[in-house]
């Protein structure tokens, strides 16, 4: 039984997919199957119940009432359908009207109702003609009583009268699959899927000359309308469909063949959606935009589409900027995770520009989060910076990728010093922990420039901590700097001298000297401890 159920389920899924991809053949199969079932059932019932006998007057009344009722029903159905189309277009986008125009259900229903009504009128005409002839003959003979209107329909005409009734029954039954399909079509998910089918590589590239021909626009019109109404379910479905469709297009083409234009157009659209969501402070929609850009970025990296990955990072940064302006912390945290995932994969592929931009955006997110007092976002940004810096130092095969380690050290230093200015000591400590992580990785992999930047960052954080009176932070900075000194003393010494020479204000110099005093004391203690352990 389980195998039968699974097979049936797979069959239903396959039929639904066929209906979606080939609506006209699928609908023809549905309606003609329904027609065959109704006709056979009626034929069986008429024969079993001996209903193949109708006098002319009853036939006229039956056919007349049947045609009138069908005309009323089809008028009501068409009117309600048009109202539904209008409401749907108002709710989502005027472009939705094209979906209903291409939908075969309404046209097939009109065809079958028209066929049934005009066939009924034709048979009614034949009955009247036959009845008139019979009535004239009956007036002159013994069958005069039959001319009063009780004459029977001839056997050859009886079948056509019965068939008219059967077609009427079918036209009523056909309303059920019609309404079912229309209800399904009114769903936001179905509308988005049908609009997304029109997204093709050729249409996207062609839209470069005419923005209105862009096939992505209809889907995102629905998404923007959903955001304005805080309809998150529709927003999620729309973004998911368009992202999967564009990713599929890029995957089916060779790298570089329209890659940059397609990815740029797609990412620009999502950036606009993200900005709209941020302006309305809709964190869920911002989250969804960032997640879809992340998935698209992972796809482009996996397929080694360098330019497309760079576009993703660039436009993701724009969305994050809009979220940061509104202080949407959950959006910033999601963006940090997304940048980290894309950045790690970009390092493995040696996508230098994407890696560097990822590191810069992570640094800016962290600094912005500190300035706005968003601690969780700042802490997560610092950790992700350290991760990218570590991986770039260890796995980067070209110098441009390893530049991300230097940038990670630079922005972690700025993150810590900004936290000191804002009085957030816990953020200072986290930044230094991550900075130490980058420093040890840089030192092990022989990245002297990055190591010097780590030293300068510790010096900056230590100086700021002394200025603001954060004793624990200043001692922690001195401790981490001491550890680095024991493994790379000359590099640390040179970096400290370079940093001190950059300080112009006497106040800054005094604070740095106080920090250096703490550092030298820590270094002395550390060396003495090391000698004792060695002895």
């Amino acid at each position: 039984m389980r195998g039968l159920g699974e097979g049936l389920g797979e069959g239903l899924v396959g039929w639904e997919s066929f209906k979606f991809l080939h609506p006209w053949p699928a609908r023809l199969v549905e309606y003609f199957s329904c027609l065959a079932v109704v006709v056979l059932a009626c034929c069986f019932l008429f024969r079993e119940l001996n209903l193949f006998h109708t006098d002319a007057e009853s036939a006229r009344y039956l056919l007349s009432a049947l045609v009138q009722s069908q005309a009323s029903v089809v008028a009501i159905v068409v009117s309600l359908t048009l109202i539904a189309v209008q409401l749907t277009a108002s709710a989502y986008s005027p472009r939705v009207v094209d979906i209903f125009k291409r939908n075969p259900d309404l046209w097939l229903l009109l065809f079958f109702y028209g066929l049934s009504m005009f066939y009924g009128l034709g048979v009614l005409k034949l009955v009247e003609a036959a009845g008139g002839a019979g009535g004239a003959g009956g007036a002159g003979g013994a069958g005069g009583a039959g001319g009063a209107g009780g004459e029977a329909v001839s056997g050859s005409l009886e079948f056509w009268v019965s068939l008219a009734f059967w077609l009427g029954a079918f036209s009523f039954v056909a309303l059920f699959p019609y309404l079912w399909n229309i209800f399904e079509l009114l769903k936001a998910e179905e509308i988005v899927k049908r609009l997304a089918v029109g997204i093709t590589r050729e249409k996207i590239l062609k839209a470069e000359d005419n923005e209105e021909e862009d096939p992505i626009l209809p889907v995102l019109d629905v998404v923007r309308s959903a955001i304005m109404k805080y309809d998150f379910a529709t927003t999620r479905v729309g973004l998911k469909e368009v992202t999967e469709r564009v990713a599929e297009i890029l995957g089916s083409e060779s790298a570089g063949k329209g890659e940059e234009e397609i990815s740029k157009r797609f990412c620009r659209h999502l950036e606009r959606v993200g900005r709209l969501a941020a302006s309305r402070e809709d964190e869920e929609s911002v989250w969804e935009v960032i997640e879809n850009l992340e998935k698209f970025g992972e796809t482009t990296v996996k397929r080694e589409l360098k330019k497309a990955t760079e576009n993703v990072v660039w436009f993701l940064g724009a969305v994050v900027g809009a979220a940061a302006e509104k202080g949407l912390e959950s959006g910033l945290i999601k963006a940090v995770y997304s940048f980290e995932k894309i950045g790690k994969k970009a390092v493995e592929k040696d996508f230098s520009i994407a890696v560097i931009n990822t590191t810069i955006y992570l640094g800016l997110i962290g600094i912005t989060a500190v300035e706005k007092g968003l601690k969780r976002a700042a802490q997560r940004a610092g950790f992700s910076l350290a991760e990218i810096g570590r991986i770039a130092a260890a796995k980067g095969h070209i110098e441009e990728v390893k530049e991300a380690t230097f940038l990670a050290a630079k922005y972690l230093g700025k993150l810590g010093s900004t936290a000191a200015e804002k009085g957030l000591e816990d953020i200072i400590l986290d930044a230094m922990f991550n900075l130490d992580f980058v420093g040890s990785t840089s030192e092990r992999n022989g990245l002297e420039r990055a190591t010097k930047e780590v030293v300068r960052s510790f010096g900056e954080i230590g100086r700021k901590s002394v200025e603001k009176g954060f004793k624990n932070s200043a001692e922690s900075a001195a401790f981490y700097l001491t550890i680095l000194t024991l493994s790379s003393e000359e590099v640390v010494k040179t970096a400290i001298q370079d940093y001190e020479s950059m300080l112009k204000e006497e106040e800054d110099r005094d604070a740095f000297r106080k920090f250096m005093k703490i550092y030298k004391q820590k270094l002395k203690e550390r060396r003495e401890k090391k000698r004792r352990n060695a002895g």
Side-chain angles (χ1 to χ4, degrees), residues 253 255 294 496:
E253 301 292 333
E294 174 197 318
I496 289 175

Side-chain angles (χ1 to χ4, degrees), residues 46-171:
F46 270 51
R47 187 182 64 184
E48 292 297 317
L49 301 176
N50 194 24
L51 298 178
F52 285 107
H53 178 75
T54 310
D55 61 65
E57 190 64 28
S58 297
R60 293 190 193 101
Y61 180 77
L62 173 67
L63 294 171
S64 178
L66 187 62
V67 170
Q68 291 180 46
S69 63
Q70 287 178 315
S72 300
V73 169
V74 75
I76 294 172
V77 169
V78 170
S79 298
L80 293 178
T81 301
L82 294 178
I83 292 172
V85 172
Q86 182 181 9
L87 293 175
T88 307
S90 300
Y92 297 115
S93 167
R95 301 173 193 268
V96 171
V97 175
D98 292 334
I99 295 177
F100 288 91
K101 285 169 60 179
R102 294 192 295 267
N103 183 50
D105 288 284
L106 179 60
W107 309 118
L108 286 173
L109 189 74
L110 289 174
F111 168 76
F112 285 119
Y113 263 89
L115 176 66
S116 178
M117 286 189 294
F118 285 108
Y119 176 80
L121 290 173
V123 175
L124 179 60
K125 187 68 175 176
L126 292 176
V127 170
E128 290 177 349
E151 70 276 7
V153 175
S154 64
S156 60
L157 194 56
E158 186 66 50
F159 174 77
W160 304 115
V161 174
S162 300
L163 182 58
F165 177 82
W166 300 344
L167 287 176
F170 161 70
S171 63

